Short mmCIF file of all heavy atoms in Angstrom, two decimals:
data_model
loop_
_atom_site.label_atom_id
_atom_site.label_comp_id
_atom_site.label_asym_id
_atom_site.label_seq_id
_atom_site.Cartn_x
_atom_site.Cartn_y
_atom_site.Cartn_z
N LEU A 23 -5.53 35.19 3.92
CA LEU A 23 -6.54 35.10 4.98
C LEU A 23 -6.07 35.83 6.23
O LEU A 23 -4.89 35.89 6.52
CB LEU A 23 -6.81 33.63 5.35
CG LEU A 23 -7.45 32.72 4.31
CD1 LEU A 23 -7.48 31.29 4.83
CD2 LEU A 23 -8.87 33.19 3.99
N GLU A 24 -7.06 36.33 6.98
CA GLU A 24 -6.72 36.92 8.29
C GLU A 24 -6.27 35.80 9.22
O GLU A 24 -6.96 34.78 9.33
CB GLU A 24 -7.97 37.58 8.90
CG GLU A 24 -8.48 38.80 8.17
CD GLU A 24 -9.71 39.41 8.86
OE1 GLU A 24 -10.71 38.70 9.05
OE2 GLU A 24 -9.65 40.60 9.21
N GLY A 25 -5.16 35.99 9.90
CA GLY A 25 -4.71 34.99 10.89
C GLY A 25 -4.53 33.61 10.30
O GLY A 25 -5.11 32.64 10.76
N THR A 27 -2.08 31.37 10.08
CA THR A 27 -1.08 30.38 10.50
C THR A 27 -1.63 28.96 10.66
O THR A 27 -1.09 28.01 10.09
CB THR A 27 -0.42 30.80 11.83
OG1 THR A 27 -0.25 32.21 11.83
CG2 THR A 27 0.92 30.12 12.02
N LEU A 28 -2.72 28.83 11.44
CA LEU A 28 -3.27 27.49 11.67
C LEU A 28 -3.81 26.88 10.38
O LEU A 28 -3.67 25.68 10.14
CB LEU A 28 -4.40 27.52 12.71
CG LEU A 28 -3.99 27.22 14.15
CD1 LEU A 28 -3.23 28.37 14.76
CD2 LEU A 28 -5.19 26.85 15.00
N VAL A 29 -4.41 27.72 9.55
CA VAL A 29 -4.97 27.23 8.29
C VAL A 29 -3.85 26.61 7.44
O VAL A 29 -4.00 25.52 6.88
CB VAL A 29 -5.66 28.38 7.52
CG1 VAL A 29 -6.27 27.87 6.23
CG2 VAL A 29 -6.72 29.05 8.38
N HIS A 32 -2.50 23.32 9.00
CA HIS A 32 -3.44 22.23 8.70
C HIS A 32 -3.27 21.77 7.25
O HIS A 32 -3.27 20.56 6.97
CB HIS A 32 -4.88 22.70 8.89
CG HIS A 32 -5.42 22.52 10.28
ND1 HIS A 32 -5.40 21.31 10.93
CD2 HIS A 32 -6.00 23.39 11.15
CE1 HIS A 32 -5.95 21.44 12.14
NE2 HIS A 32 -6.31 22.70 12.30
N GLY A 62 6.41 28.40 17.61
CA GLY A 62 5.62 28.43 18.85
C GLY A 62 4.19 27.97 18.62
O GLY A 62 3.63 27.22 19.42
N VAL A 63 3.60 28.39 17.52
CA VAL A 63 2.23 27.99 17.20
C VAL A 63 2.21 26.49 16.88
O VAL A 63 1.38 25.73 17.40
CB VAL A 63 1.68 28.81 16.01
CG1 VAL A 63 0.31 28.28 15.58
CG2 VAL A 63 1.60 30.28 16.38
N THR A 65 4.12 24.12 17.82
CA THR A 65 4.34 23.22 18.96
C THR A 65 3.24 23.32 20.02
O THR A 65 3.14 22.46 20.88
CB THR A 65 5.70 23.50 19.64
OG1 THR A 65 5.76 24.90 19.96
CG2 THR A 65 6.85 23.12 18.74
N PHE A 66 2.43 24.37 19.97
CA PHE A 66 1.40 24.57 21.00
C PHE A 66 0.24 23.58 20.85
O PHE A 66 -0.32 23.11 21.84
CB PHE A 66 0.85 26.00 20.92
CG PHE A 66 -0.18 26.31 21.99
CD1 PHE A 66 0.21 26.68 23.27
CD2 PHE A 66 -1.54 26.24 21.70
CE1 PHE A 66 -0.73 26.96 24.25
CE2 PHE A 66 -2.49 26.53 22.68
CZ PHE A 66 -2.08 26.90 23.96
N TYR A 67 -0.10 23.26 19.61
CA TYR A 67 -1.31 22.47 19.35
C TYR A 67 -1.01 20.98 19.23
O TYR A 67 -0.04 20.59 18.60
CB TYR A 67 -1.99 22.99 18.08
CG TYR A 67 -2.47 24.42 18.23
CD1 TYR A 67 -1.69 25.50 17.82
CD2 TYR A 67 -3.69 24.69 18.83
CE1 TYR A 67 -2.12 26.81 17.99
CE2 TYR A 67 -4.14 25.99 18.99
CZ TYR A 67 -3.35 27.05 18.58
OH TYR A 67 -3.78 28.34 18.75
N HIS A 68 -1.89 20.17 19.87
CA HIS A 68 -1.68 18.72 19.88
C HIS A 68 -1.78 18.10 18.49
O HIS A 68 -1.21 17.05 18.24
CB HIS A 68 -2.72 18.05 20.78
CG HIS A 68 -2.67 18.48 22.21
ND1 HIS A 68 -1.53 18.42 22.97
CD2 HIS A 68 -3.61 19.00 23.03
CE1 HIS A 68 -1.78 18.86 24.20
NE2 HIS A 68 -3.04 19.23 24.25
N ASP A 69 -2.53 18.72 17.59
CA ASP A 69 -2.80 18.08 16.30
C ASP A 69 -1.61 17.99 15.36
O ASP A 69 -1.54 17.09 14.53
CB ASP A 69 -3.89 18.88 15.54
CG ASP A 69 -5.29 18.54 16.01
OD1 ASP A 69 -5.43 17.72 16.93
OD2 ASP A 69 -6.25 19.14 15.46
N PHE A 70 -0.71 18.96 15.47
CA PHE A 70 0.32 19.03 14.42
C PHE A 70 1.45 18.04 14.66
O PHE A 70 2.05 17.99 15.72
CB PHE A 70 0.85 20.46 14.31
CG PHE A 70 -0.21 21.45 13.92
CD1 PHE A 70 -0.41 22.61 14.67
CD2 PHE A 70 -1.04 21.21 12.83
CE1 PHE A 70 -1.41 23.51 14.32
CE2 PHE A 70 -2.05 22.10 12.48
CZ PHE A 70 -2.23 23.26 13.22
N ARG A 84 -10.10 9.14 25.62
CA ARG A 84 -9.69 8.92 27.00
C ARG A 84 -10.44 9.83 27.96
O ARG A 84 -10.09 9.93 29.12
CB ARG A 84 -8.17 9.16 27.13
CG ARG A 84 -7.31 8.35 26.19
CD ARG A 84 -7.26 6.86 26.54
NE ARG A 84 -6.58 6.64 27.80
CZ ARG A 84 -7.15 6.10 28.88
NH1 ARG A 84 -8.42 5.73 28.84
NH2 ARG A 84 -6.47 5.89 29.98
N ALA A 85 -11.47 10.53 27.49
CA ALA A 85 -12.16 11.50 28.33
C ALA A 85 -13.23 10.83 29.20
O ALA A 85 -13.50 9.64 29.07
CB ALA A 85 -12.78 12.59 27.47
N GLU A 86 -13.83 11.62 30.10
CA GLU A 86 -14.65 11.07 31.19
C GLU A 86 -15.80 10.17 30.74
O GLU A 86 -16.05 9.13 31.35
CB GLU A 86 -15.22 12.20 32.06
CG GLU A 86 -14.20 12.87 32.94
CD GLU A 86 -13.53 14.04 32.26
OE1 GLU A 86 -13.55 14.09 31.00
OE2 GLU A 86 -12.97 14.90 32.95
N ALA A 87 -16.56 10.60 29.72
CA ALA A 87 -17.72 9.81 29.33
C ALA A 87 -17.28 8.42 28.89
O ALA A 87 -17.93 7.41 29.18
CB ALA A 87 -18.50 10.51 28.22
N GLN A 89 -14.41 7.00 29.87
CA GLN A 89 -13.91 6.35 31.08
C GLN A 89 -15.07 5.68 31.82
O GLN A 89 -14.96 4.54 32.29
CB GLN A 89 -13.26 7.37 32.02
CG GLN A 89 -11.96 7.98 31.52
CD GLN A 89 -11.49 9.13 32.42
OE1 GLN A 89 -11.97 9.31 33.53
NE2 GLN A 89 -10.55 9.91 31.92
N ALA A 90 -16.18 6.41 31.93
CA ALA A 90 -17.34 5.90 32.67
C ALA A 90 -17.90 4.64 32.04
O ALA A 90 -18.53 3.83 32.71
CB ALA A 90 -18.43 6.98 32.73
N ALA A 91 -17.67 4.49 30.73
CA ALA A 91 -18.26 3.37 30.00
C ALA A 91 -17.25 2.24 29.78
O ALA A 91 -17.43 1.41 28.89
CB ALA A 91 -18.82 3.86 28.67
N ASP A 94 -11.12 2.80 30.07
CA ASP A 94 -9.77 2.56 30.58
C ASP A 94 -9.29 1.14 30.26
O ASP A 94 -8.15 0.94 29.83
CB ASP A 94 -9.71 2.79 32.10
CG ASP A 94 -9.82 4.27 32.46
OD1 ASP A 94 -9.80 5.10 31.53
OD2 ASP A 94 -9.93 4.59 33.66
N ILE A 122 -7.38 10.77 22.32
CA ILE A 122 -8.15 11.93 21.87
C ILE A 122 -9.09 12.26 23.01
O ILE A 122 -9.51 11.37 23.76
CB ILE A 122 -8.88 11.65 20.53
CG1 ILE A 122 -9.45 12.93 19.92
CG2 ILE A 122 -9.97 10.60 20.67
CD1 ILE A 122 -9.81 12.82 18.45
N TYR A 123 -9.33 13.54 23.20
CA TYR A 123 -10.18 13.93 24.32
C TYR A 123 -11.51 14.43 23.80
O TYR A 123 -11.69 15.61 23.55
CB TYR A 123 -9.46 14.93 25.24
CG TYR A 123 -8.36 14.23 25.98
CD1 TYR A 123 -7.09 14.09 25.42
CD2 TYR A 123 -8.62 13.58 27.18
CE1 TYR A 123 -6.10 13.36 26.06
CE2 TYR A 123 -7.63 12.84 27.82
CZ TYR A 123 -6.38 12.74 27.26
OH TYR A 123 -5.41 12.00 27.87
N CYS A 124 -12.39 13.48 23.59
CA CYS A 124 -13.78 13.70 23.24
C CYS A 124 -14.04 13.90 21.75
O CYS A 124 -13.64 14.88 21.15
CB CYS A 124 -14.41 14.86 24.02
SG CYS A 124 -16.19 14.70 24.03
N LEU A 125 -14.75 12.92 21.21
CA LEU A 125 -15.21 12.97 19.83
C LEU A 125 -16.67 13.42 19.77
O LEU A 125 -17.27 13.46 18.71
CB LEU A 125 -15.07 11.59 19.18
CG LEU A 125 -13.63 11.13 18.93
CD1 LEU A 125 -13.57 9.61 18.79
CD2 LEU A 125 -13.08 11.78 17.66
N GLY A 126 -17.24 13.73 20.94
CA GLY A 126 -18.64 14.13 20.97
C GLY A 126 -19.57 12.94 20.76
O GLY A 126 -20.72 13.10 20.36
N LEU A 127 -19.06 11.74 21.04
CA LEU A 127 -19.87 10.53 20.88
C LEU A 127 -20.16 9.95 22.27
O LEU A 127 -20.17 8.73 22.47
CB LEU A 127 -19.12 9.50 20.02
CG LEU A 127 -18.61 10.04 18.68
CD1 LEU A 127 -17.75 9.01 17.97
CD2 LEU A 127 -19.77 10.44 17.79
N CYS A 128 -20.39 10.84 23.22
CA CYS A 128 -20.44 10.48 24.63
C CYS A 128 -21.66 9.67 25.00
O CYS A 128 -21.71 9.06 26.07
CB CYS A 128 -20.38 11.74 25.47
SG CYS A 128 -19.30 13.00 24.80
N ALA A 129 -22.69 9.67 24.14
CA ALA A 129 -23.89 8.88 24.44
C ALA A 129 -23.77 7.49 23.82
O ALA A 129 -24.62 6.64 24.06
CB ALA A 129 -25.13 9.59 23.92
N MET A 135 -11.51 6.54 16.77
CA MET A 135 -11.52 7.01 15.39
C MET A 135 -10.35 6.35 14.66
O MET A 135 -9.20 6.44 15.12
CB MET A 135 -11.36 8.53 15.41
CG MET A 135 -11.60 9.22 14.10
SD MET A 135 -11.19 10.98 14.35
CE MET A 135 -12.54 11.76 13.53
N VAL A 140 -15.30 7.32 12.52
CA VAL A 140 -15.67 7.22 13.93
C VAL A 140 -16.34 5.88 14.24
O VAL A 140 -17.09 5.35 13.43
CB VAL A 140 -16.61 8.37 14.35
CG1 VAL A 140 -15.83 9.66 14.49
CG2 VAL A 140 -17.78 8.54 13.39
N VAL A 141 -16.03 5.36 15.42
CA VAL A 141 -16.61 4.10 15.87
C VAL A 141 -17.05 4.26 17.32
O VAL A 141 -16.27 4.69 18.16
CB VAL A 141 -15.59 2.94 15.77
CG1 VAL A 141 -16.26 1.62 16.14
CG2 VAL A 141 -15.00 2.86 14.39
N GLY A 142 -18.31 3.92 17.59
CA GLY A 142 -18.83 4.04 18.94
C GLY A 142 -19.21 2.68 19.51
O GLY A 142 -19.04 1.65 18.85
N ARG A 143 -19.74 2.70 20.74
CA ARG A 143 -20.16 1.49 21.45
C ARG A 143 -19.09 0.40 21.38
O ARG A 143 -19.38 -0.76 21.07
CB ARG A 143 -21.46 0.95 20.86
CG ARG A 143 -22.68 1.48 21.57
CD ARG A 143 -23.95 0.84 21.01
NE ARG A 143 -25.00 1.84 20.90
CZ ARG A 143 -25.89 1.91 19.92
NH1 ARG A 143 -25.87 1.05 18.94
NH2 ARG A 143 -26.79 2.85 19.92
N ARG A 148 -15.38 -5.38 19.19
CA ARG A 148 -15.32 -4.31 18.19
C ARG A 148 -13.93 -3.67 18.16
O ARG A 148 -13.43 -3.27 17.11
CB ARG A 148 -16.38 -3.24 18.48
CG ARG A 148 -17.78 -3.67 17.99
CD ARG A 148 -18.86 -2.73 18.51
NE ARG A 148 -18.87 -1.42 17.87
CZ ARG A 148 -19.68 -1.10 16.86
NH1 ARG A 148 -20.51 -2.00 16.39
NH2 ARG A 148 -19.67 0.12 16.36
N ALA B 15 -21.11 6.41 13.83
CA ALA B 15 -20.21 5.65 14.70
C ALA B 15 -20.79 4.29 15.07
O ALA B 15 -20.04 3.39 15.45
CB ALA B 15 -19.88 6.44 15.96
N TYR B 47 -29.82 8.21 21.29
CA TYR B 47 -28.65 7.50 20.79
C TYR B 47 -28.64 6.00 21.04
O TYR B 47 -27.99 5.26 20.32
CB TYR B 47 -27.36 8.14 21.31
CG TYR B 47 -26.97 9.34 20.49
CD1 TYR B 47 -27.06 10.62 21.00
CD2 TYR B 47 -26.53 9.19 19.17
CE1 TYR B 47 -26.73 11.72 20.23
CE2 TYR B 47 -26.19 10.27 18.39
CZ TYR B 47 -26.29 11.55 18.92
OH TYR B 47 -25.96 12.64 18.16
N GLU B 50 -29.87 4.51 17.93
CA GLU B 50 -29.17 4.74 16.66
C GLU B 50 -28.42 3.48 16.24
O GLU B 50 -27.89 2.77 17.10
CB GLU B 50 -28.18 5.90 16.80
CG GLU B 50 -28.83 7.26 16.97
CD GLU B 50 -29.51 7.79 15.71
OE1 GLU B 50 -29.53 7.07 14.69
OE2 GLU B 50 -30.01 8.92 15.76
N ARG B 173 -14.51 48.07 11.98
CA ARG B 173 -15.24 46.82 11.71
C ARG B 173 -15.41 46.04 13.01
O ARG B 173 -14.70 46.26 13.98
CB ARG B 173 -14.55 45.97 10.64
CG ARG B 173 -13.13 45.56 10.96
CD ARG B 173 -12.59 44.75 9.76
NE ARG B 173 -11.38 44.03 10.12
CZ ARG B 173 -10.16 44.53 10.07
NH1 ARG B 173 -9.97 45.79 9.67
NH2 ARG B 173 -9.11 43.80 10.40
N TYR B 175 -16.78 41.97 14.65
CA TYR B 175 -16.86 40.55 14.30
C TYR B 175 -17.88 39.81 15.14
O TYR B 175 -18.15 40.17 16.28
CB TYR B 175 -15.50 39.87 14.49
CG TYR B 175 -14.43 40.32 13.55
CD1 TYR B 175 -13.48 41.26 13.94
CD2 TYR B 175 -14.36 39.80 12.26
CE1 TYR B 175 -12.48 41.66 13.08
CE2 TYR B 175 -13.36 40.20 11.39
CZ TYR B 175 -12.42 41.13 11.80
OH TYR B 175 -11.44 41.53 10.95
N SER B 185 -16.01 16.71 27.74
CA SER B 185 -16.53 15.35 27.61
C SER B 185 -17.94 15.30 28.18
O SER B 185 -18.24 15.91 29.19
CB SER B 185 -15.64 14.38 28.39
OG SER B 185 -16.18 13.09 28.31
N GLY B 186 -18.82 14.58 27.49
CA GLY B 186 -20.20 14.49 27.94
C GLY B 186 -21.08 15.50 27.24
O GLY B 186 -22.30 15.49 27.42
N PHE B 188 -22.27 17.17 23.54
CA PHE B 188 -22.27 16.94 22.10
C PHE B 188 -23.40 17.70 21.43
O PHE B 188 -23.71 17.46 20.26
CB PHE B 188 -22.35 15.44 21.78
CG PHE B 188 -23.39 14.71 22.59
CD1 PHE B 188 -24.71 14.69 22.18
CD2 PHE B 188 -23.07 14.08 23.78
CE1 PHE B 188 -25.68 14.04 22.93
CE2 PHE B 188 -24.03 13.42 24.54
CZ PHE B 188 -25.35 13.40 24.11
N ARG B 191 -22.15 19.73 18.39
CA ARG B 191 -21.88 18.84 17.26
C ARG B 191 -23.19 18.43 16.59
O ARG B 191 -23.33 18.50 15.37
CB ARG B 191 -21.14 17.59 17.76
CG ARG B 191 -20.76 16.63 16.65
CD ARG B 191 -20.21 15.32 17.16
NE ARG B 191 -21.13 14.53 17.96
CZ ARG B 191 -22.26 13.98 17.51
NH1 ARG B 191 -22.64 14.16 16.24
NH2 ARG B 191 -23.03 13.26 18.29
N TYR B 218 -16.92 34.32 12.14
CA TYR B 218 -16.13 33.09 12.09
C TYR B 218 -16.77 32.04 12.98
O TYR B 218 -17.25 32.36 14.07
CB TYR B 218 -14.71 33.33 12.61
CG TYR B 218 -13.83 34.12 11.67
CD1 TYR B 218 -13.67 35.50 11.84
CD2 TYR B 218 -13.16 33.49 10.63
CE1 TYR B 218 -12.86 36.22 10.98
CE2 TYR B 218 -12.35 34.21 9.77
CZ TYR B 218 -12.19 35.58 9.95
OH TYR B 218 -11.39 36.29 9.10
N ARG B 222 -13.79 22.69 16.64
CA ARG B 222 -12.68 21.83 17.04
C ARG B 222 -12.42 20.76 15.98
O ARG B 222 -13.34 20.26 15.32
CB ARG B 222 -12.93 21.23 18.42
CG ARG B 222 -14.18 20.41 18.55
CD ARG B 222 -14.60 20.30 20.00
NE ARG B 222 -13.55 19.73 20.83
CZ ARG B 222 -13.47 18.44 21.15
NH1 ARG B 222 -14.39 17.59 20.76
NH2 ARG B 222 -12.48 17.98 21.88
N SER B 223 -11.16 20.40 15.85
CA SER B 223 -10.77 19.46 14.79
C SER B 223 -11.29 18.05 15.05
O SER B 223 -11.36 17.24 14.14
CB SER B 223 -9.25 19.43 14.65
OG SER B 223 -8.65 19.01 15.86
N TYR B 225 -14.17 17.27 15.41
CA TYR B 225 -15.52 17.19 14.84
C TYR B 225 -15.52 17.35 13.31
O TYR B 225 -16.13 18.29 12.77
CB TYR B 225 -16.40 18.31 15.43
CG TYR B 225 -16.88 18.10 16.84
CD1 TYR B 225 -16.54 16.99 17.60
CD2 TYR B 225 -17.70 19.05 17.44
CE1 TYR B 225 -16.98 16.83 18.89
CE2 TYR B 225 -18.17 18.91 18.73
CZ TYR B 225 -17.81 17.78 19.47
OH TYR B 225 -18.27 17.64 20.76
N PRO B 226 -14.85 16.45 12.58
CA PRO B 226 -14.79 16.64 11.12
C PRO B 226 -16.16 16.64 10.45
O PRO B 226 -16.35 17.35 9.44
CB PRO B 226 -13.94 15.45 10.65
CG PRO B 226 -13.97 14.45 11.76
CD PRO B 226 -14.13 15.24 13.03
N ARG B 261 -13.32 28.09 10.71
CA ARG B 261 -11.91 27.84 11.04
C ARG B 261 -11.84 26.61 11.92
O ARG B 261 -12.71 26.41 12.78
CB ARG B 261 -11.30 29.04 11.77
CG ARG B 261 -11.03 30.24 10.87
CD ARG B 261 -9.88 29.96 9.90
NE ARG B 261 -9.78 31.03 8.93
CZ ARG B 261 -8.99 32.11 9.08
NH1 ARG B 261 -8.26 32.25 10.17
NH2 ARG B 261 -8.93 33.03 8.14
N VAL B 262 -10.79 25.82 11.72
CA VAL B 262 -10.68 24.57 12.44
C VAL B 262 -9.58 24.67 13.50
O VAL B 262 -8.47 25.12 13.21
CB VAL B 262 -10.39 23.41 11.47
CG1 VAL B 262 -10.29 22.09 12.21
CG2 VAL B 262 -11.48 23.33 10.41
N GLY B 263 -9.90 24.27 14.70
CA GLY B 263 -8.93 24.27 15.80
C GLY B 263 -7.88 23.18 15.58
O GLY B 263 -7.87 22.50 14.55
N ALA B 264 -7.01 23.00 16.55
CA ALA B 264 -5.94 22.02 16.35
C ALA B 264 -5.66 21.22 17.62
O ALA B 264 -4.52 20.94 17.98
CB ALA B 264 -4.68 22.72 15.84
N GLY B 265 -6.75 20.86 18.31
CA GLY B 265 -6.59 19.94 19.43
C GLY B 265 -6.13 20.55 20.73
O GLY B 265 -5.46 19.88 21.51
N SER B 278 -6.18 32.05 18.96
CA SER B 278 -6.01 30.97 18.01
C SER B 278 -6.53 31.37 16.62
O SER B 278 -5.89 31.10 15.60
CB SER B 278 -6.73 29.73 18.51
OG SER B 278 -6.46 28.63 17.69
N GLU B 280 -6.59 34.27 15.47
CA GLU B 280 -5.64 35.23 14.90
C GLU B 280 -4.36 34.55 14.43
O GLU B 280 -3.46 35.20 13.91
CB GLU B 280 -5.32 36.31 15.93
CG GLU B 280 -6.51 37.24 16.19
CD GLU B 280 -6.22 38.31 17.23
OE1 GLU B 280 -5.04 38.51 17.58
OE2 GLU B 280 -7.18 38.95 17.69
N GLY B 281 -4.28 33.23 14.65
CA GLY B 281 -3.13 32.49 14.15
C GLY B 281 -2.01 32.35 15.15
O GLY B 281 -0.87 32.07 14.79
N ARG B 282 -2.33 32.55 16.41
CA ARG B 282 -1.29 32.45 17.44
C ARG B 282 -1.51 31.27 18.37
O ARG B 282 -2.48 30.54 18.25
CB ARG B 282 -1.27 33.75 18.23
CG ARG B 282 -0.65 34.89 17.45
CD ARG B 282 -0.24 36.01 18.38
NE ARG B 282 -1.40 36.71 18.88
CZ ARG B 282 -1.96 37.75 18.25
NH1 ARG B 282 -1.47 38.16 17.11
NH2 ARG B 282 -3.00 38.36 18.77
N ARG B 283 -0.57 31.09 19.32
CA ARG B 283 -0.78 30.09 20.37
C ARG B 283 -2.04 30.48 21.12
O ARG B 283 -2.27 31.65 21.35
CB ARG B 283 0.41 30.09 21.35
CG ARG B 283 1.72 29.70 20.73
CD ARG B 283 2.88 30.10 21.63
NE ARG B 283 2.98 29.27 22.81
CZ ARG B 283 3.87 28.31 22.98
NH1 ARG B 283 4.75 28.06 22.02
NH2 ARG B 283 3.91 27.61 24.08
N GLY B 284 -2.80 29.48 21.53
CA GLY B 284 -4.05 29.79 22.22
C GLY B 284 -3.81 30.12 23.69
O GLY B 284 -4.24 29.39 24.57
N PHE B 299 -8.80 40.52 16.35
CA PHE B 299 -7.98 41.54 15.68
C PHE B 299 -8.16 42.91 16.32
O PHE B 299 -8.15 43.95 15.64
CB PHE B 299 -8.26 41.58 14.17
CG PHE B 299 -8.04 40.27 13.49
CD1 PHE B 299 -9.10 39.54 12.99
CD2 PHE B 299 -6.76 39.73 13.35
CE1 PHE B 299 -8.91 38.30 12.38
CE2 PHE B 299 -6.55 38.50 12.74
CZ PHE B 299 -7.63 37.78 12.25
N ALA B 342 -24.88 11.23 29.12
CA ALA B 342 -23.75 10.52 28.52
C ALA B 342 -23.06 9.61 29.52
O ALA B 342 -23.38 9.59 30.70
CB ALA B 342 -22.75 11.53 27.96
N GLY B 343 -22.08 8.87 29.01
CA GLY B 343 -21.29 7.98 29.83
C GLY B 343 -22.00 6.65 30.02
O GLY B 343 -22.56 6.09 29.08
N ASN B 344 -22.00 6.17 31.26
CA ASN B 344 -22.61 4.88 31.55
C ASN B 344 -24.10 5.08 31.84
O ASN B 344 -24.53 5.08 32.99
CB ASN B 344 -21.89 4.25 32.75
CG ASN B 344 -22.35 2.84 33.04
OD1 ASN B 344 -23.35 2.37 32.48
ND2 ASN B 344 -21.63 2.16 33.90
N GLN B 380 -20.94 13.55 36.82
CA GLN B 380 -20.20 14.80 36.62
C GLN B 380 -21.02 15.68 35.69
O GLN B 380 -21.38 15.27 34.59
CB GLN B 380 -18.82 14.53 36.02
CG GLN B 380 -17.95 15.78 35.99
CD GLN B 380 -16.56 15.54 35.44
OE1 GLN B 380 -16.35 14.67 34.60
NE2 GLN B 380 -15.60 16.33 35.89
N PRO B 384 -15.29 18.33 32.05
CA PRO B 384 -14.16 17.92 32.90
C PRO B 384 -13.88 18.88 34.05
O PRO B 384 -13.19 18.52 34.99
CB PRO B 384 -12.98 17.85 31.93
CG PRO B 384 -13.42 18.49 30.68
CD PRO B 384 -14.89 18.53 30.66
N VAL B 417 -22.54 9.94 33.59
CA VAL B 417 -22.94 9.04 34.67
C VAL B 417 -21.88 7.94 34.88
O VAL B 417 -21.38 7.36 33.91
CB VAL B 417 -24.30 8.39 34.34
CG1 VAL B 417 -24.71 7.39 35.41
CG2 VAL B 417 -25.37 9.47 34.17
N LYS B 426 -9.05 8.44 41.46
CA LYS B 426 -8.52 8.40 40.10
C LYS B 426 -9.14 9.53 39.25
O LYS B 426 -8.45 10.16 38.44
CB LYS B 426 -8.86 7.03 39.51
CG LYS B 426 -8.01 6.63 38.34
CD LYS B 426 -8.30 5.17 38.00
CE LYS B 426 -8.47 5.00 36.51
NZ LYS B 426 -9.11 3.74 36.16
N GLN B 427 -10.44 9.77 39.46
CA GLN B 427 -11.10 10.83 38.68
C GLN B 427 -10.56 12.21 39.08
O GLN B 427 -10.38 13.08 38.24
CB GLN B 427 -12.62 10.79 38.88
CG GLN B 427 -13.31 9.53 38.37
CD GLN B 427 -12.97 9.17 36.95
OE1 GLN B 427 -12.43 8.10 36.68
NE2 GLN B 427 -13.24 10.06 36.01
N PHE B 430 -7.30 12.57 37.48
CA PHE B 430 -7.46 12.84 36.05
C PHE B 430 -7.75 14.32 35.79
O PHE B 430 -7.22 14.92 34.86
CB PHE B 430 -8.58 11.96 35.45
CG PHE B 430 -8.82 12.24 33.99
CD1 PHE B 430 -7.97 11.71 33.03
CD2 PHE B 430 -9.87 13.05 33.58
CE1 PHE B 430 -8.16 11.99 31.68
CE2 PHE B 430 -10.08 13.33 32.23
CZ PHE B 430 -9.23 12.79 31.28
N GLU B 438 -3.40 20.43 29.45
CA GLU B 438 -4.07 21.41 28.59
C GLU B 438 -3.82 22.86 28.98
O GLU B 438 -4.25 23.78 28.28
CB GLU B 438 -5.58 21.13 28.57
CG GLU B 438 -5.96 19.80 27.93
CD GLU B 438 -5.56 19.70 26.47
OE1 GLU B 438 -5.48 20.74 25.80
OE2 GLU B 438 -5.32 18.57 26.00
#
Side-chain angles (χ1 to χ4, degrees):
Chain A
L23 294 174
E24 293 181 303
T27 322
L28 265 73
V29 181
H32 271 306
V63 174
T65 53
F66 183 82
Y67 296 94
H68 299 305
D69 279 0
F70 299 128
R84 305 288 294 118
E86 287 89 339
Q89 291 172 14
D94 288 353
I122 191 163
Y123 290 86
C124 202
L125 290 159
L127 308 173
C128 322
M135 191 185 224
V140 285
V141 185
R143 267 184 221 142
R148 280 169 73 97
Chain B
Y47 279 110
E50 291 289 3
R173 59 182 195 273
Y175 292 99
S185 177
F188 46 85
R191 182 188 63 65
Y218 288 96
R222 58 201 303 264
S223 60
Y225 285 1
R261 286 291 171 93
V262 181
S278 186
E280 290 179 13
R282 286 198 288 272
R283 296 164 73 104
F299 303 110
N344 186 349
Q380 188 178 30
V417 177
K426 201 171 135 197
Q427 296 309 119
F430 178 79
E438 295 298 333

